[in-house]
Amino acid sequence: MLPSQRVASSSRVYRSLPRQCGNGQTRGMHLAHLAALPDATLETFKHHAFGPSQPYLLPKRTFIKSLPAISSWFVNNPPLPEISGNNKSPVPVQLNANHLAPFSHTTVPLELTTTNPDGTTTFTRTEAPLSFFLDHISTLQSSKNPAQNQNLRIYLAQCPLPTLPTDLIISSLPAPIYVTSAGKGDIYDSSIWLGMAPTHTPLHRDPNPNLFVQLAGRKVVRVFEPAVGRELFAQATAGSGGGVRLSEEMMAGKGRAALDAVVWDGLAINDDEKAKDRVVGYEAVLDAGDGIFIPKGWWHGIKGVGHGIVGSVNWWFR
């Protein structure tokens, strides 16, 4: 069975999904690991992914050499093991703040999540000079226990590439051939995502095809066909009165917990051939240089996991 056939074969279960159990799990539903394209050629990408609008991973480390930001924006990227006795533990990737310092005056969008004394969280969006973000990350990276100093989490999220200095983007993040040549060559938008793990982007869908590439650290992506994603979102927002839409309520507090319950907590991986009829979505793990194609309208949620900096770039294109 071709990877594209495997993705398409589960479409019959999208028509009606079982509701959640009381513990937040959805009985009988499974995820499978998302298939990777057999090679990284443009023709293969067009034939299996872009043309039929099917989600796919690109082969491992496809972008490791073609996107210079992977090496120039970060230190120890990809990470190498640090040997201590007989144990091996990864040295966290760090943001190369000195490399980005010449552009510190640039205004960037930031997501701020504050942990309050009572354990609740407050989420806000703002804009600030890049220097504010670089100073925050540098302080955490120099700390012996960065995870214990994150009562304030700052995520540089969905920062449009065209708003960044041209010299920085041209030299570091040239648009991949899949973006420029698979379709009309029309780049609708593109964004940078930078922050200390863990990071979080809630379940949502995009109005254009999306090529998402990991620059540093690790992210986990879960993708769902339009019908099933909409139903999962509706389950999570039932009773909120807000309908099926993405809002700041989905970024923290009860709204985020409700989405996590259906997208992350309530679905397990099962690649068993006998369970394929109950597959309702796919999971992909991205490390530095890895990429995923997410078709127009496919719902997806993304988590940055592990330790240290995580960075990504994506292009919405047609």
Side-chain angles (χ1 to χ4, degrees), residues 6-254:
R6 191 181 79 174
V7 173
S9 66
S10 60
S11 60
R12 59 183 175 277
V13 303
Y14 294 145
R15 299 178 186 139
S16 179
L17 300 178
R19 294 293 176 179
Q20 285 183 295
C21 304
N23 62 358
Q25 294 187 342
T26 311
R27 190 184 305 276
M29 295 169 60
H30 302 291
L31 296 173
H33 287 101
L34 185 64
L37 292 172
D39 60 65
T41 64
L42 177 62
E43 288 306 312
T44 294
F45 176 79
K46 291 169 64 175
H47 178 72
H48 289 293
F50 186 78
S53 293
Q54 294 293 336
Y56 266 97
L57 282 167
L58 278 295
K60 290 290 291 182
R61 298 166 67 92
T62 289
F63 303 94
I64 201 75
K65 294 182 178 180
S66 61
L67 295 179
I70 292 175
S71 58
S72 63
W73 287 27
F74 305 94
V75 179
N76 191 40
N77 192 38
L80 298 173
E82 179 181 49
I83 300 176
S84 177
N86 294 325
N87 298 320
K88 292 184 178 180
S89 59
V91 178
V93 177
Q94 292 195 338
L95 185 68
N96 188 349
N98 290 334
H99 179 78
L100 298 175
F103 312 99
S104 59
H105 63 281
T106 305
T107 299
V108 295
L110 300 174
E111 295 180 354
L112 281 62
T113 304
T114 304
T115 302
N116 303 312
D118 61 358
T120 60
T121 56
T122 302
F123 176 84
T124 57
R125 288 188 174 97
T126 189
E127 292 187 342
L130 178 60
S131 59
F132 177 74
F133 174 77
L134 295 178
D135 289 344
H136 175 76
I137 296 299
S138 295
T139 299
L140 291 177
Q141 290 182 159
S142 63
S143 172
K144 293 182 178 179
N145 297 297
Q148 297 179 7
N149 295 284
Q150 292 203 60
N151 289 333
L152 172 63
R153 306 188 64 85
I154 301 179
Y155 191 29
L156 195 160
Q158 201 166 330
C159 176
L161 292 189
T163 67
L164 298 176
T166 302
D167 292 346
L168 178 65
I169 299 308
I170 291 178
S171 63
S172 302
L173 294 168
I177 190 173
Y178 313 105
V179 173
T180 60
S181 303
K184 299 178 180 179
D186 178 12
I187 301 177
Y188 174 73
D189 205 351
S190 52
S191 292
I192 283 290
W193 312 75
L194 292 170
M196 296 290 282
T199 64
H200 175 264
T201 302
L203 184 69
H204 68 286
R205 58 183 174 178
D206 299 324
N208 288 284
N210 181 1
L211 180 68
F212 187 93
V213 178
Q214 193 67 5
L215 299 176
R218 171 172 288 185
K219 282 188 175 178
V220 181
V221 184
R222 289 190 168 183
V223 294
F224 305 90
E225 190 268 350
V228 72
R230 184 176 182 86
E231 185 164 347
L232 287 174
F233 196 98
Q235 288 183 20
T237 57
S240 67
V244 181
R245 61 182 178 85
L246 187 62
S247 71
E248 292 188 2
E249 295 177 0
M250 298 294 103
M251 300 299 296
K254 294 181 179 179

Side-chain angles (χ1 to χ4, degrees), residues 229-307:
R230 184 176 182 86
E231 185 164 347
L232 287 174
F233 196 98
Q235 288 183 20
T237 57
S240 67
V244 181
R245 61 182 178 85
L246 187 62
S247 71
E248 292 188 2
E249 295 177 0
M250 298 294 103
M251 300 299 296
K254 294 181 179 179
R256 173 173 169 175
L259 270 182
D260 284 351
V262 297
V263 176
W264 299 99
D265 304 334
L267 294 170
I269 302 290
N270 189 343
D271 286 323
D272 192 327
E273 190 71 14
K274 296 179 181 178
K276 66 179 182 180
D277 288 343
R278 301 303 298 167
V279 170
V280 296
Y282 297 88
E283 180 174 289
V285 177
L286 304 179
D287 294 309
D290 297 343
I292 180 175
F293 173 69
I294 304 172
K296 171 183 176 180
W298 278 67
W299 292 73
H300 49 286
I302 304 174
K303 282 186 176 182
V305 298
H307 304 282

